[in-house]
RNA sequence: GGGGCGGUAGCUCAGUUGGUUAGAGCAGGGGACUCAUAAUCCCUUGGUCGCGGGUUCGAGUCCUGCCCGCCCUACCA
């Protein structure tokens, strides 16, 4: 990293892994995205030209299936996901320069370009592959889309790659009594042509490129070199037979598509291309230019794609290679994997309804180092860290001194503070180095040391005593000038982590925080804006409510073909109690004609929103197909979030007499089970049903 | 099955190329203060550094065996 030695601005292109357009963002994803955002903001604050290029990853079998489940086109589905993703990221104060999609013209073009280069280099070969297909849809089935019994131990509900009970690995074709996740029918075996990239040809290059400590962390190098590079690299299968959602491979008569992992990283370049077009820049100035640093942030689960295939592709096509790949570990919550049943599988959207994003940003920063270690989100720790560090130590500096000088402002010259400001200014470089090396936890530690030195100063200077003696106004002003400047210095150092907080601090001093350099000189002789609370403590009840809400959102029906191991397992013994039945005994017998008077229909929720004044109600728009849309007020507010309802198929009473309610007319009823309150479980239709169909 | 990483005070972690009585923050205990979102400040109690061998004048730090935990495992190991 020679460029770090001199002070000229660097040109830095940063990417985070592309979120897969198949589901919502959760707090596990956010480890990486917050990490990336902090690093980018840091570079910008330091005055470097840094762009954060991002996109949704949109191709593959999983997307096809999800689109089908939602009964919309893939394009519609990924558009919706992209909107949701970006909304969540904004909520966490993540700021990118461009957000693209791998399903774009730009990406198609660059895929073609790289494909030609691979062909020209003679790296592409075609071979027959025997694999499983869905008997109904004709789609090839990835291993994760085939379930059956482990051929070794006969454990049921295992995926097509290995058995999580006995650990045995096998091929999907070896499964006993296999079932396709798409149709639920037994898959059929077939042989098709696949295209492979012979990356073994680049073995020497990769051996060299993966040297420890250069572009990769040491553990990553060890892993790649010890495992993959110690033997000839296998040819990489980069194609999938039609039907597939993705880009067709040229000259294959639309019969072959690029595998999603082929075009996903190319999305980094394509999204840059789009940004260039919007900003009057040339792509080659960013991807074919030795003056540019390229930094990828990604999780350890996708190392091999980014550290073997990706450099091989870039090298062959003559693009810049990554300067550095920053690979992080996973998130555990309270020491365990995130769990849907324990309510620790927390979606970004859910978090934001209960807690300030600044908390999570700071907590992750305080935990993150440059290595692949997993980090644990322990909620006791979370609250202690945020309250103690940010509120009790940092914010306290301002809240205990600002009001004394509200009327008179800061001293005209910076008083003698015994070297505190200068000492903290000098610490800036070390803090910056830690940010640079992604050692955020070290940076946070150093910053908190500054707060720990500033608070005793205030303690000894006793502004509250000076305040009582009118002859000591000047001394009081000086003490507060020092305290507030030490506070502001800390806020600048924290700005990459807490951008919104930094903004408020800027407003307090009437001097926006825009550069790291501002930490090096104190502000004097200026008035202050009125001090307002900058950050409040974490409320335990909010955490509890968030966890509770995360549990509830998982009590939603799952399409039959996705039901998990436990429900397919033959060893499960059903032990449902009769509690529910006792609580609400069966109604009097009715005739079939009685039942027929109630017209139950499948409907799709096309809109869902909170009714501000209503305690229990959500306002839903239900579509019965075509122009037939009903407005229904449903008492499910405690159990469901509007956003998770949209797109879902439900069962409604369609011929119920409309009812005038306080907030409008309700034109029907949504069927749900449960005792009420948060115990509400909507009835769903299995995939295949369409809006308007009657329930018999 | 294969592999990666880790096991240091109650908790979260630091411990540089092996070197004097093993550190920090939080929590706990005692005191001070009352400006501050019951915050802050001072003092203080906690550790056979997972277990056993070995190398060395000297090991948390290197080697080795074992135990435990977490994680990863591309059409794959």
């Amino acid at each position: 990293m020679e460029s770090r030695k001199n002070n000229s601005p660097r040109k830095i292109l940063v990417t985070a892994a592309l979120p897969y357009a198949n589901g919502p963002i959760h707090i596990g994803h956010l480890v990486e995205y917050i990490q990336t955002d902090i690093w980018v903001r840091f570079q910008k604050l330091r005055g470097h030209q840094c762009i954060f290029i991002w996109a949704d990853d949109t191709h593959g079998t999983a997307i096809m299936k999800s689109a089908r489940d939602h009964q919309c086109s893939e394009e519609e589905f990924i558009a919706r996901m992209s909107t949701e993703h970006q909304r969540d990221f904004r909520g966490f104060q993540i700021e990118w320069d461009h957000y693209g999609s791998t399903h774009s013209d730009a990406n198609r073009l660059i895929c073609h370009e790289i494909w030609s280069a691979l062909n020209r280099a003679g790296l592409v070969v075609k071979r027959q592959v025997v694999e499983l297909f869905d008997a109904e849809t004709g789609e090839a089935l990835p291993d994760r889309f085939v379930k059956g019994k482990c051929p070794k131990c006969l454990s049921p509900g295992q995926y097509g790659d290995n058995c999580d009970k006995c650990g045995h690995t096998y091929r999907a074709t070896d499964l006993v009594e296999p079932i396709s996740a798409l149709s639920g029918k037994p898959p059929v075996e077939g042989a098709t042509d696949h295209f492979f990239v012979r990356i073994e040809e680049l073995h020497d290059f990769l051996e060299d490129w993966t040297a420890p400590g250069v572009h990769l962390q040491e553990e990553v190098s060890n892993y790649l070199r010890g495992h993959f590079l110690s033997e000839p690299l296998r040819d990489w299968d980069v194609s999938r037979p039609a039907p597939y959602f993705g880009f067709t491979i040229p000259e294959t008569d639309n019969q072959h598509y690029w595998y999603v992992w082929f075009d996903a990283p190319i999305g980094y370049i394509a999204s840059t291309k789009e940004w260039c077009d919007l900003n009057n820049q040339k792509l080659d100035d960013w991807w074919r230019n030795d003056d540019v640093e390229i930094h990828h942030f990604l999780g350890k689960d996708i190392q091999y794609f980014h550290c073997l295939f990706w450099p091989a592709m870039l090298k062959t096509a003559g693009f810049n290679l990554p300067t550095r790949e920053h690979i992080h570990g996973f998130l555990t919550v309270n020491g365990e994997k995130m769990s849907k049943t324990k309510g620790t599988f927390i979606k970004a959207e859910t978090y934001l309804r209960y807690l300030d994003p600044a908390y999570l940003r700071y907590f992750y920063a305080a935990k993150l180092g440059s290595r692949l270690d997993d980090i644990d989100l322990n909620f006791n720790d979370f609250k202690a860290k945020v309250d103690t560090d940010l509120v009790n130590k940092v914010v306290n500096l301002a809240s205990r001194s600002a009001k004394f000088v509200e009327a008179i402002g800061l001293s005209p010259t910076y008083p003698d503070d015994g070297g505190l400001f200068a000492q903290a200014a000098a610490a800036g470089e070390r803090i910056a180095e830690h940010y640079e090396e992604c050692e955020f936890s070290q940076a946070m530690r150093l910053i908190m040391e500054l707060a720990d030195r500033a608070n005793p100063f205030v303690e000894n200077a006793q502004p509250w005593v000076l305040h009582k003696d009118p002859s000591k106004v000047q001394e009081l002003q000086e003490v507060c000038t020092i305290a507030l400047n030490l506070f502001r210095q800390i806020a600048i150092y924290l700005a990459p982590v807490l951008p919104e907080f930094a903004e408020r601090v800027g407003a307090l001093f009437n001097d926006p925080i825009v550069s790291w350099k501002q930490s090096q000189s104190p502000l004097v002789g200026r008035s202050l804006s009125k001090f307002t609370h900058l950050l409040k403590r974490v409320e335990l009840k909010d955490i509890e409510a968030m966890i509770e809400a995360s549990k509830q959102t998982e009590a939603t029906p799952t399409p039959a073909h996705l039901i998990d191991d436990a429900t397919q397992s033959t060893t499960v013994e059903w032990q449902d109690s009769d509690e529910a039945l006792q609580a609400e005994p069966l109604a009097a017998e009715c005739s079939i004609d009685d039942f027929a008077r109630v017209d139950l229909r499948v409907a799709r929720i096309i809109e869902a929103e909170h009714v501000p004044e209503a305690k229990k109600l959500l306002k839903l728009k239900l579509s019965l197909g075509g122009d037939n849309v009903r407005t229904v007020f449903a008492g499910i507010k405690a159990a469901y979030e509007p956003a998770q309802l949209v797109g879902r198929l439900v069962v409604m009473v369609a011929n119920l007499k409309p009812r005038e309610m306080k907030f409008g007319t309700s034109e029907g009823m949504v069927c749900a089970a449960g005792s009420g309150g948060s115990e509400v479980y909507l009835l769903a239709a299995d995939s295949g049903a369409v809006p308007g169909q009657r329930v018999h």
Side-chain angles (χ1 to χ4, degrees):
Chain A
M1 315 287 134
E2 286 309 310
S3 51
R4 279 177 207 162
K5 298 295 175 204
N6 63 50
N7 284 327
S8 58
R10 297 191 263 152
K11 250 181 124 163
I12 308 170
L13 190 155
V14 178
T15 71
L18 308 185
Y20 198 41
N22 197 33
I25 301 304
H26 56 67
I27 57 173
H29 293 120
L30 287 166
V31 172
E32 174 178 318
Y33 304 143
I34 287 174
Q35 181 189 39
T36 310
D37 185 61
I38 290 172
W39 201 78
V40 168
R41 285 180 184 272
F42 166 72
Q43 299 299 354
K44 289 181 176 175
L45 200 62
R46 295 282 280 179
H48 299 300
Q49 187 184 6
C50 180
I51 56 171
F52 180 1
I53 297 297
W54 211 1
D56 261 10
D57 175 16
T58 58
H59 290 155
T61 312
I63 302 287
M64 296 171 80
K65 195 175 89 57
S66 293
R68 197 175 310 150
D69 290 348
H70 286 79
Q71 294 179 339
C72 62
S73 68
E74 285 91 354
E75 284 81 359
E76 284 172 293
F77 182 75
I78 62 176
R80 200 184 304 156
M81 290 311 304
S82 180
T83 307
E84 272 183 36
H85 286 176
Q86 291 182 62
R87 175 203 63 198
D88 289 346
F89 296 147
R90 277 192 207 98
F92 276 90
Q93 298 161 22
I94 296 168
E95 211 172 64
W96 56 90
D97 290 275
H98 188 72
Y99 203 96
S101 162
T102 58
H103 196 63
S104 67
D105 292 338
N107 202 34
R108 192 193 309 266
L109 277 173
I110 296 166
C111 286
H112 277 82
E113 182 181 341
I114 291 179
W115 187 246
S116 325
L118 293 168
N119 269 302
R120 275 198 307 278
L123 297 179
V124 178
V125 290
K126 190 157 89 169
R127 261 208 311 276
Q128 274 216 329
V129 170
V130 175
E131 62 193 317
L132 296 174
F133 292 83
D134 187 284
E136 253 173 38
T137 67
E139 286 163 64
L141 295 167
D143 288 347
R144 288 270 140 179
F145 281 73
V146 186
K147 275 188 161 189
K149 291 180 180 170
C150 166
K152 192 174 181 188
C153 71
L154 293 179
S155 293
Q158 298 305 319
Y159 291 113
D161 44 6
N162 63 38
C163 174
D164 64 7
K165 295 287 187 291
C166 73
H168 185 59
T169 53
Y170 42 79
R171 288 149 37 95
T173 47
D174 298 333
L175 278 174
V176 177
E177 296 171 20
I179 295 286
S180 161
L182 295 179
S183 65
K185 304 254 166 71
V188 292
E189 213 171 290
T192 46
D193 286 333
H194 277 234
F195 293 90
F196 292 79
V197 175
R198 295 158 53 213
I199 54 166
E200 173 60 12
E201 300 288 313
L202 290 144
H203 196 125
D204 290 344
F205 157 72
L206 288 170
E207 182 82 35
D208 193 47
W209 193 81
T210 54
V214 185
H215 308 293
L216 305 174
Q217 290 125 296
E218 218 172 300
E219 312 95 290
V220 177
S221 296
N222 291 342
Y223 168 61
L224 298 171
R225 294 177 143 206
H227 217 93
F228 299 98
L229 292 163
S230 57
E231 51 191 78
L233 291 161
R234 288 184 180 79
D235 294 346
W236 181 32
D237 185 351
V238 294
S239 77
R240 295 293 180 270
Y244 194 71
F245 182 59
F247 294 141
T248 54
I249 301 178
E251 289 148 29
T252 64
D253 201 19
N254 294 336
Q255 290 309 297
H256 299 274
Y257 288 73
W258 282 304
Y259 173 44
V260 55
W261 265 111
F262 178 80
D263 68 61
I266 295 175
Y268 296 144
I269 303 180
S271 191
T272 313
K273 173 76 169 83
E274 291 178 340
W275 176 82
C276 286
D277 290 347
L278 290 168
N279 289 278
N280 204 18
Q281 299 257 334
K282 289 203 204 72
L283 182 65
D284 282 359
D285 288 346
W286 286 93
W287 277 96
R288 287 190 169 104
N289 177 356
D290 289 343
D291 296 334
V292 174
E293 296 174 36
I294 293 176
H295 293 258
H296 295 309
F297 286 80
L298 52 129
K300 61 185 177 182
D301 52 332
I302 54 175
Q303 309 174 49
Y304 41 77
F305 292 112
H306 282 80
C307 303
L308 295 175
F309 306 139
W310 180 231
M313 285 159 71
L314 292 170
K315 170 83 175 163
T316 306
F319 286 104
N320 275 17
L321 288 158
T323 309
R324 186 94 199 174
E325 309 222 18
H326 306 267
I327 302 176
H328 61 82
F330 276 59
L331 179 74
T332 55
V333 180
N334 294 332
E336 301 175 328
K337 255 189 180 171
M338 296 194 297
S339 147
K340 294 186 177 183
T341 49
K342 287 179 183 158
T344 54
F345 194 96
I346 299 162
K347 291 190 281 188
E349 188 214 352
T350 312
Y351 175 101
L352 289 172
R353 266 186 289 123
Y354 296 94
L355 298 168
D356 187 334
Y359 301 160
L360 196 68
R361 292 182 63 103
Y362 178 72
F363 184 79
Y364 282 168
K367 285 273 174 182
L368 275 168
S370 63
R371 307 212 300 165
L372 277 80
D373 303 338
D374 292 340
I375 68 173
D376 184 47
L377 169 55
N378 173 291
F379 282 111
N380 294 325
D381 204 27
F382 174 83
K383 174 172 167 52
K385 202 105 197 132
V386 170
D387 287 356
T388 309
D389 289 359
L390 295 184
V391 183
N392 300 355
K393 287 181 179 177
V394 176
V395 172
N396 188 41
L397 281 170
S399 53
R400 72 194 306 198
S401 53
K403 73 167 193 187
F404 292 128
V405 288
E406 216 157 59
I408 51 177
L410 301 175
S411 303
T413 57
Y414 191 69
D416 179 9
D417 66 359
L420 280 174
F421 189 91
Q423 195 182 1
E429 270 319 293
R430 274 197 300 148
I431 294 168
E433 277 167 31
H434 287 314
Y435 270 121
E436 178 68 45
E437 295 302 322
C438 287
E439 293 286 1
F440 298 165
S441 61
Q442 308 268 19
M444 296 308 108
R445 200 176 284 249
L446 287 183
I447 295 168
M448 289 311 139
E449 276 178 23
L450 304 183
D452 284 338
R453 281 203 289 270
N455 271 310
F457 165 81
V458 178
E459 199 74 18
N460 293 329
Q462 298 186 304
W464 55 94
V465 175
L466 301 173
H467 177 59
K468 288 171 187 156
D469 185 345
S471 71
K472 299 208 167 144
V473 174
Q474 192 188 335
E475 210 181 319
L476 174 66
Q477 188 187 29
E478 288 178 352
V479 166
C480 294
T481 297
I482 292 168
L484 286 165
N485 267 295
L486 295 174
F487 166 72
R488 174 173 169 270
Q489 203 171 28
I490 289 169
I492 295 166
Y493 292 149
L494 284 174
V497 179
L498 304 175
E500 204 176 280
F501 174 73
E503 224 170 273
R504 277 188 229 132
V505 174
L508 173 66
F509 287 88
N510 300 311
D511 184 57
I513 293 171
V514 293
S515 163
W516 188 265
K517 290 195 186 108
Q518 290 169 288
S519 65
Q520 301 300 297
S521 46
L523 283 181
V524 288
R526 61 168 61 227
S527 62
L528 297 175
S529 296
K530 190 166 170 55
F531 179 77
T532 51
H533 277 191
L534 293 166
L535 198 69
K536 68 179 183 91
R537 294 198 173 75
V538 179
E539 301 265 7
L540 278 176
K541 68 171 173 51
D542 291 336
I543 294 177
E544 283 159 12
M546 174 179 77
I547 290 176
E548 206 45 47
S550 297
K551 280 182 194 165
Q552 289 163 4
T553 61
E554 285 315 316
T556 56
T558 309
H561 51 262
L562 277 185
I563 39 180
D564 226 321
D565 303 8
T567 38
Q568 286 196 344
S569 166
T570 52
T571 60
V572 167
E573 289 177 37
W574 303 107
Q575 293 183 330
D576 299 323
S577 90
D578 61 353
E579 219 175 279
L581 192 60
Q582 301 240 342
E584 188 174 347
L586 288 180
E589 188 177 288
C590 76
S591 71
I592 182 88
D593 294 324
D594 290 334
F595 174 68
R597 294 181 56 205
V598 180
D599 196 342
L600 297 174
R601 298 282 172 156
V602 174
R604 182 185 302 285
I605 302 177
I606 55 174
E607 275 180 45
E609 59 186 76
H610 284 292
V611 183
E613 308 91 323
K615 285 189 195 133
K616 298 178 178 171
L617 297 178
L618 289 183
K619 183 178 178 183
L620 306 178
K621 285 245 165 90
L622 299 176
S623 167
L624 292 168
D627 296 326
N628 303 294
V629 176
R630 305 285 188 86
T631 301
V632 170
F633 290 89
I636 57 174
K637 186 185 173 104
Y640 290 91
E641 262 313 301
Q644 58 175 146
L645 292 171
V646 175
R648 184 184 285 192
L649 290 180
V650 294
V651 175
M652 76 173 292
V653 183
N655 62 340
L656 194 66
K657 185 178 171 187
R659 186 184 167 93
E660 286 300 324
M661 301 180 76
K662 186 175 171 189
F663 312 103
T665 307
S666 187
E667 307 165 310
M669 217 175 116
V670 174
C671 296
S675 53
S678 59
E679 297 281 332
V680 173
Y681 307 103
L682 285 178
L683 297 190
D686 269 353
S687 70
V690 296
Q693 283 178 338
R694 184 158 185 187
V695 178
H696 298 283

